[in-house]
Amino acid sequence: MQTELSRKLGVEHAVFGFTPFPAVAAAISRAGGFGVLGAVRYTAPDDLKRDLDWLDAHAGGRPYGLDVVMPAKKVEGVTEADVEAMIPEGHRQFVREILAKYGVPELAEGEASGWRITGWMEQVARTQLDVALDYPIKLLANALGSPPADVVARAHDRGVLVAALAGSARHARKHQEAGIDIVVAQGYEAGGHTGEIATMVLTPEIVDAVDPLPVLAAGGIGSGQQVAAALALGAQGVWLGSVWLTTTEADLHSPALTRKLLAAGSGDTVRSRALTGKPARQLRTEWTDAWDDPAGPGTLPMPLQGLLVAEAVSRIQRYEVQPLLGTPVGQIVGRMSSERSVQAVFDDLTRGFEEAVDRINRIAGRSGQS
């Protein structure tokens, strides 16, 4: 599963694995892929440094990267407290009512909320970048469009490639104009923030739109056959996220959530604004249903929604409140039916890829004889 891009980055397989877990990122790199650590949850630089130290020590000398959430346009002087003050009391009351309805306990005294979507704020993302550039990262990916021009220049000065996610050919062309090196074509099936166009349609559209930039296909991919299909569509690799959530190296801190993921079918996800204020694919739960109900107050725009629900999500996860318990995940969840090691996932990917290529070669051979 090698391409020009994978050879350029020095990896055996053109499989880029996004994950919030350092152990998973390291295992992806060791297995011959390219591990990408998600930084959005790191609000303290020392925490990111600690985990990058661990990742660097356990990646087996293989390349890895970092994924940040950084807006292209700078907003001066806005603090988290300023944003918190914009949240209407009616929405806070709605959260309290949902938690009370399902009997969700309070966090223990002194226990801080462990889930804060503040990594979107530029000052936080820039501190993440300051830390990361002290490490031998080979790729900086941005999940919120093209990063600011000075960030792109700074990465390039360090020899770091820059990738950005796109949900349309128009977005992809903007990335190309901004000097981005790799475009991740993220289809509708993907977990987390995603657009309206399916991966099968989106990938060749973006490949044609930004040629000769390399494109990674993302969204609903979790088998070697799909990797082969992505390369056939013109992609130079795949970007996988959801499939790692049920690996043995993942640290969800919730056996109940792992069980829900393993039991879910591909139709058990929904694109909802309940988590962050932007449409994000996640497990459908009574939490998402409550926020998507027209009788409710509706979600707030990003980043207000993420700050509003941060403590509630922490409480739901901490106490594993089954009806409300969920996580961002793509439609590929229907294939995630057992816990496997990252290496076992790669073994399945390579085996399925070889089978798909052999199948196409046989078809091409028969066509050539007719």
Side-chain angles (χ1 to χ4, degrees), residues 80-314:
E80 184 177 335
D82 295 331
V83 177
E84 288 268 15
M86 301 177 191
I87 298 174
E89 177 56 31
H91 282 74
R92 295 187 186 278
Q93 179 60 28
F94 185 67
V95 171
R96 289 192 288 267
E97 290 172 357
I98 298 174
L99 297 178
K101 176 181 177 181
Y102 291 92
V104 183
E106 298 275 356
L107 294 175
E109 186 175 351
E111 183 178 354
S113 169
W115 192 93
R116 299 292 286 176
I117 295 295
T118 54
W120 62 270
M121 298 179 73
E122 183 174 353
Q123 61 266 37
V124 176
R126 283 184 178 273
T127 61
Q128 295 166 350
L129 183 64
D130 291 340
V131 170
L133 289 180
D134 285 336
Y135 292 82
I137 64 170
K138 299 298 183 184
L139 178 71
L140 176 70
N142 191 41
L144 201 63
S146 304
D150 69 294
V151 171
V152 176
R154 189 176 172 194
H156 286 168
D157 286 345
R158 299 290 188 95
V160 176
L161 297 180
V162 180
L165 276 64
S168 71
R170 178 174 61 85
H171 291 153
R173 282 189 287 267
K174 287 185 176 180
H175 294 336
Q176 186 177 38
E177 293 165 2
I180 300 303
D181 304 292
I182 301 167
V183 176
V184 181
Q186 180 167 290
Y188 173 84
E189 305 95 324
H193 296 131
T194 184
E196 302 280 354
I197 306 172
T199 305
M200 189 76 173
V201 175
L202 181 66
T203 300
E205 283 188 358
I206 288 184
V207 168
D208 290 343
V210 301
D211 184 59
L213 281 189
V215 172
L216 302 177
I221 300 173
S223 72
Q225 291 87 347
Q226 291 170 303
V227 177
L231 300 191
L233 293 172
Q236 287 205 30
V238 292
W239 178 274
L240 307 185
S242 297
V243 72
W244 315 113
L245 289 173
T246 52
T247 56
T248 53
E249 292 89 347
D251 191 10
L252 286 177
H253 298 292
S254 174
L257 181 54
T258 298
R259 289 194 295 270
K260 286 189 80 168
L261 288 169
L262 294 174
S266 56
D268 292 329
T269 68
V270 62
R271 284 174 75 244
S272 172
R273 298 177 184 268
L275 196 61
T276 68
K278 282 184 174 290
R281 186 171 296 285
Q282 55 203 280
L283 281 180
R284 182 178 180 178
T285 66
E286 293 185 34
W287 174 261
T288 62
D289 286 349
W291 281 105
D292 295 339
D293 188 338
T299 56
L300 297 170
M302 189 182 195
L304 301 182
Q305 182 72 16
L307 291 173
L308 168 66
V309 305
E311 182 182 335
V313 171
S314 286

